[in-house]
Amino acid sequence: MAELWANAFQNLTTILQADSSVANPDEGFYWRRGFYEKMPLKYRQDLISAEQIVPYEIAGQGEPPDMYALKLRRLARFYWGKFIYERSRGAGNLGDLEHAEFLLDQAIRKTGSPFYLLNDRGNIYIEYYKAHSKSRRAQPTSFDKAELRKSYDCARQSFKDSIDLKKEQLRAYFNLAYIEAAWGSPAVPSGNLHAAINHLRDGLRYPKWEHEPVDEFRCNALYNLACYYARLPRKEAACLCVLRKAARFGLVSPEDVDRDFNSKEGDFFPILTAAPPATRQKFRDLEKQLTRRFK
């Protein structure tokens, strides 16, 4: 069993390192870029088989606390990535998301609530919220509404607790901004956007994502800030200023840029439709620059 787990974790670490843009694979982890589907079938099944025989929270109890928590975190991200991958293809088992939450809770209990594990847990609750939103019935029950509210509240609280533990990071502010902009009160949409903007402006004061700078994530934070400005009236100048900063990194996904610039649902589409020609040209000049270094 020890050999099976050692091989499974080595394979997982190899995939994380290949997927990371920085030296520390846990800092540069980005599940949206095909993390789970990049894993060969054998790697996936080695992990799942080991879990089914002896779960790691039992098998790894003899390891030092920091290593034990690190492996629990990586295993949680495996199940988190598995859920995201399968959900994107019309499936997705909430049990995988629940298992990821359980593994993170085990790691938090072992190490005393480090801020970065709270960030991971907040992202798990974001996925819960998305899943509950997509599965809502035409007339949701009180239970449906309670599940949605719980996911929202737990996500926000996880990121706030993370900031209380470590203020000088970007990740928790980034996710709080996302929550406000996407799911804030429908009664005050402009207030939600201002709250999201303030969160990002606060977070962007700090160079580190969590423990070290990650250019791609900082670029995405700037891009999101520009998107939020674009949703407010008469904010073209602020939007352009932030987009120029994002373009210096050039690490935005081409898919995101194409959607926001060229589809009716995109954040910059209304500006490109209604703004004066000179303003529209400034946005178009930045369009390709935003993705020039994306891999």
Side-chain angles (χ1 to χ4, degrees):
M1 275 307 305
E3 184 178 353
L4 175 60
W5 268 117
N7 290 336
F9 272 120
Q10 181 54 53
N11 293 336
L12 178 58
T13 302
T14 299
I15 295 296
L16 281 169
Q17 288 172 334
D19 196 50
S20 176
S21 59
V22 294
N24 179 354
D26 300 291
E27 186 80 0
F29 173 79
Y30 191 32
W31 55 261
R32 286 191 183 277
R33 191 170 297 172
F35 161 69
Y36 181 79
E37 55 264 46
K38 283 179 181 177
M39 296 186 74
L41 178 62
K42 185 179 185 306
Y43 287 11
R44 299 179 191 173
Q45 290 304 310
D46 281 348
L47 275 170
I48 294 170
S49 296
E51 275 272 282
Q52 289 174 339
I53 298 169
V54 179
Y56 183 71
E57 64 269 17
I58 297 173
Q61 285 184 357
E63 295 201 354
D66 289 347
M67 181 57 66
Y68 179 63
L70 173 63
K71 290 184 175 180
L72 284 173
R73 184 190 195 193
R74 290 179 176 177
L75 191 58
R77 286 173 158 184
F78 168 78
Y79 282 101
W80 174 19
K82 181 176 184 290
F83 174 81
I84 295 296
Y85 169 74
E86 293 177 351
R87 187 79 181 178
S88 69
R89 281 148 180 79
N93 181 358
L94 276 174
D96 287 333
L97 211 54
E98 186 175 283
H99 190 48
E101 180 189 359
F102 169 75
L103 293 167
L104 286 173
D105 284 347
Q106 292 286 100
I108 288 169
R109 280 196 291 270
K110 192 73 171 180
T111 54
S113 299
F115 76 96
Y116 51 89
L117 293 180
L118 294 174
N119 286 337
D120 281 358
R121 189 168 68 179
N123 278 107
I124 296 295
Y125 283 120
I126 285 177
E127 294 308 321
Y128 273 128
Y129 188 96
K130 291 178 181 178
H132 292 318
S133 296
K134 289 180 181 178
S135 62
R136 287 181 71 179
R137 288 164 275 210
Q139 295 192 347
T141 66
S142 58
F143 178 78
D144 295 330
K145 294 176 182 177
E147 285 287 292
L148 205 61
R149 188 71 206 182
K150 177 186 175 184
S151 300
Y152 175 82
D153 289 342
C154 287
R156 289 182 82 244
Q157 193 60 51
S158 293
F159 296 124
K160 287 186 174 183
D161 289 346
S162 175
I163 290 171
D164 287 342
L165 290 170
K166 184 176 175 66
K167 181 180 179 181
E168 300 83 3
Q169 55 157 324
L170 174 53
R171 185 182 178 192
Y173 297 97
F174 177 90
N175 284 299
L176 278 174
Y178 172 81
I179 290 170
E180 290 288 355
W183 306 320
S185 170
V188 284
S190 62
N192 301 333
L193 287 172
H194 284 296
I197 287 167
N198 288 336
H199 283 312
L200 276 181
R201 285 167 62 95
D202 286 344
L204 284 163
R205 291 183 299 166
Y206 307 114
K208 296 178 181 178
W209 179 242
E210 284 182 336
H211 297 97
E212 62 180 285
V214 182
D215 285 351
E216 182 176 1
F217 298 159
R218 189 168 192 83
C219 179
N220 283 323
L222 289 164
Y223 184 77
N224 282 6
L225 180 57
C227 289
Y228 301 153
Y229 275 129
R231 298 176 198 175
L232 293 170
R234 298 181 298 279
K235 288 293 184 180
E236 291 86 350
C239 183
L240 276 169
C241 178
V242 179
L243 274 182
R244 289 190 187 100
K245 293 179 181 178
R248 290 174 196 154
F249 292 98
L251 292 167
V252 186
S253 160
E255 182 180 350
D256 291 343
V257 171
D258 184 59
R259 180 194 64 240
D260 288 324
F261 276 77
N262 301 309
S263 72
K264 291 182 179 179
E265 296 77 23
D267 286 321
F268 308 123
F269 189 84
I271 296 174
L272 290 165
T273 303
T279 301
R280 295 202 302 269
Q281 188 57 52
K282 289 176 182 177
F283 276 88
R284 288 298 181 192
D285 289 343
L286 288 168
E287 185 177 358
K288 290 184 178 180
Q289 292 297 310
L290 288 164
T291 64
R292 62 192 170 82
R293 293 178 54 215
F294 184 87
K295 297 180 181 179

